[in-house]
Amino acid sequence: MLTNSTNSSHAPIRAVIIDLDGTMLDTLPDFHVAINAMRGQFGYAPITQQQIALMIGKGSENLIRTVLALEHDAAGVEQRFDEAMALYQRHYLAINGDHSVIYDGVIDGLEAMKADRLRLACVTNKPIAFATPLLAQKGLAPYFEIVYGGDSLARKKPDPMPLLQVCTDFDLPPSQVVAIGDSSNDAEAARAAGCFVLTVPYGYNHGRAIHETDSDGIVTSLVEAATLIRSHNHNAY
């Protein structure tokens, strides 16, 4: 049964909030193409996927500032930020999803959750204008009642606001909701919201091992997550 220090509820899980980048989709190749296209227009040399993997997860604004900081001090970053953001968004939208791959077990896991009558939401720090078409392109959109991007609400993960908004939308207490993600952003948001949290080990997590993140368990796939939730619910009745 799922238990943690902030959520000791033995009530059944009714809903699941799932992250996008690094949890359902390997989107790093898309970031790589779009960022280097933007850098090329500034005359900067390309950077590697490994470098970019350490930068993603905290929203587009943080990403672009971090990329610019490779060449500039804080003042130089701010001077170029608006132009760089506009270029990046244009390049990203042009190739959104073209190089991304669904992780193993995602579809089967979502199917299992739906079969167990769990309500599903996707909460990502990716801008909603990127997230919505990407979910549709990959065939994931029909699984989710709710999708919130990093700019959908006033605050993004690791703030608990998006998760608490989903709980309100579903009319469920956080103690009956579990969040699944690949990074400390997801875990911190879930902890602050009072939700359970499961983490996957194959995402990005800012270059840190997922074992360093406070969660209620590491699951190798969404299939394993669905099985764990089913076991929790079986014991809850």
Side-chain angles (χ1 to χ4, degrees):
M1 177 173 286
L2 293 169
T3 58
N4 66 53
S5 58
T6 59
N7 184 355
S8 58
S9 171
H10 296 292
I13 299 296
R14 299 294 192 192
V16 186
I17 301 172
I18 309 177
D19 179 51
L20 182 55
D21 298 290
T23 301
M24 290 192 288
L25 292 176
D26 180 6
T27 50
L28 183 56
D30 279 351
F31 285 109
H32 189 232
V33 171
I35 287 171
N36 280 331
M38 177 271 284
R39 286 179 60 83
Q41 290 197 250
F42 278 100
Y44 307 150
I47 58 176
T48 67
Q49 288 195 21
Q50 289 72 26
Q51 287 174 283
I52 294 169
L54 302 178
M55 302 174 179
I56 58 180
K58 295 183 181 294
S60 294
E61 296 86 355
N62 181 79
L63 171 63
I64 297 308
R65 285 191 169 93
T66 306
V67 169
L68 289 173
L70 296 175
E71 271 77 26
H72 301 284
D73 61 14
V77 167
E78 293 308 313
Q79 181 182 350
R80 294 163 178 82
F81 174 77
D82 289 342
E83 181 184 2
M85 176 62 81
L87 289 171
Y88 164 71
Q89 290 180 327
R90 190 177 79 207
H91 288 301
Y92 199 105
L93 284 171
I95 55 92
N96 188 15
D98 288 355
H99 309 281
S100 296
V101 179
I102 300 176
Y103 288 114
D104 290 343
V106 168
I107 297 296
D108 289 343
L110 293 173
E111 289 284 354
M113 292 175 193
K114 292 298 259 187
D116 288 342
R117 299 182 181 277
L118 297 169
R119 302 183 73 177
L120 300 180
C122 175
V123 172
T124 173
N125 280 351
K126 200 180 205 71
I128 195 67
F130 295 177
T132 302
L134 181 59
L135 287 166
Q137 179 185 340
K138 299 301 182 182
L140 300 177
Y143 292 100
F144 296 99
E145 292 182 53
I146 295 169
V147 178
Y148 287 130
D151 52 355
S152 296
L153 301 167
R155 295 189 290 277
K156 59 172 72 76
K157 298 180 291 185
D159 193 280
M161 178 183 281
L163 278 64
L164 290 171
Q165 183 61 53
V166 171
C167 293
T168 299
D169 295 338
F170 284 160
D171 194 23
L172 290 171
S175 60
Q176 294 188 0
V177 179
V178 60
I180 304 174
D182 69 306
S183 80
S184 58
N185 279 340
D186 304 297
E188 289 170 23
R191 281 284 184 260
C195 300
F196 290 108
V197 57
L198 297 172
T199 48
V200 297
Y202 50 74
Y204 311 129
N205 197 31
H206 326 297
R208 300 183 62 185
I210 199 63
H211 300 80
E212 300 175 21
T213 298
D214 177 27
S215 75
D216 300 309
I218 299 172
V219 289
T220 59
S221 68
L222 292 194
V223 174
E224 185 177 347
T227 301
L228 188 59
I229 294 167
R230 185 180 301 129
S231 176
H232 172 93
N233 286 347
H234 178 76
N235 292 323
Y237 288 106

